Amino acid sequence: MSAFPSPPRIAALVLAGGTGSRMGGCDKSLLPLSETQTVLDYVLTALRPHCAALAISANGDASRFAAWNLPVLPDTQADMGPLAGILEGLRWAESQNCSVLITVPGDTPFIPADLPQLLLPAPAVAVSDNRQHHLVASWPTACRAALEEWLKQPDHKDKLRIRCFAATLGVRDVVFPAHTPDLFFNINTPDEYAYARKLVRGGLTHV
């Protein structure tokens, strides 16, 4: 019998539920970055080697993600923001016998290639340039019941803030070194999309 504990079984959820309003209402994760790969492809390339299961959090027609052959998890609780997606992810991760869920926004193509490992043990949140990236985080699947109870509370100003729920879990910061572009650079505007494509043309993949 090994004296060392077994590594946790990790699931990863790509949060692709944003409306992309500053990009004309598109699915940012489906934007092409190169002739053959989308933003989503870049995100999955970093996550896949470390994760036992992968899924996408998105509402609407799931068939637009059919090419990736991954579960697409719609929100079952309306108007709860990203926490609703995280809750569905935790439920799904439990069904996959995973003890940790990694969440990553679907518009952050240049995440570190070993991100899941760096966010262990859970709960943890990525920090770069003195900023917490609350959607780039690790969550113990055991916190699913706590999140369900949190979202049942009467409305208050902090109810939908990820950082406020994460604080109740004792989330720890994982500080990443300064880098250009920022490791958690995300595409919000046409200019940022053009910049991301320029970086890819220059040979950038993952750090």
Side-chain angles (χ1 to χ4, degrees):
M1 183 175 179
S2 173
F4 300 98
S6 300
R9 182 174 165 88
I10 302 171
L13 181 69
V14 179
L15 299 164
T19 60
S21 57
R22 285 183 281 175
M23 291 288 296
C26 68
D27 281 304
K28 293 185 290 181
S29 64
L30 300 183
L31 292 170
L33 278 186
S34 69
E35 291 184 4
T36 60
Q37 292 192 303
T38 65
V39 176
L40 179 59
D41 288 317
Y42 270 70
V43 175
L44 293 174
T45 294
L47 297 174
R48 186 171 280 114
H50 310 283
C51 299
L54 295 166
I56 298 167
S57 171
N59 295 312
D61 185 1
S63 67
R64 66 194 193 275
F65 297 105
W68 288 270
N69 195 30
L70 294 174
V72 179
L73 312 179
D75 297 345
T76 58
Q77 293 188 249
D79 303 320
M80 293 293 178
L83 281 175
I86 293 171
L87 176 57
E88 295 307 317
L90 290 168
R91 290 169 173 164
W92 162 77
E94 283 186 313
S95 76
Q96 303 300 306
N97 298 313
C98 293
S99 59
V100 175
L101 176 70
I102 302 293
T103 56
V104 178
D107 60 358
T108 55
F110 306 124
I111 57 174
D114 54 352
L115 177 67
Q117 300 300 319
L118 296 173
L119 290 176
L120 296 179
V125 61
V127 178
S128 65
D129 196 24
N130 296 315
R131 177 190 170 198
Q132 289 182 318
H133 301 275
H134 290 99
L135 294 180
V136 184
S138 61
W139 310 87
T141 55
C143 78
R144 184 264 308 158
L147 180 52
E148 287 177 339
E149 289 303 312
W150 176 267
L151 293 177
K152 289 177 184 176
Q153 295 180 37
D155 287 343
H156 56 81
K157 65 182 179 66
D158 294 330
K159 179 178 178 178
L160 301 185
R161 292 180 179 176
I162 297 174
R163 65 176 176 81
C164 294
F165 173 70
T168 70
L169 305 178
V171 68
R172 64 188 180 87
D173 290 349
V174 177
V175 180
F176 289 80
H179 189 272
T180 302
D182 188 280
L183 297 173
F184 307 107
F185 162 83
N186 63 311
I187 297 168
N188 282 319
T189 67
D191 285 346
E192 289 169 343
Y193 175 44
Y195 177 59
R197 286 176 60 86
K198 179 180 178 181
L199 292 172
V200 169
R201 288 195 299 270
L204 182 64
T205 54
H206 297 93
V207 177

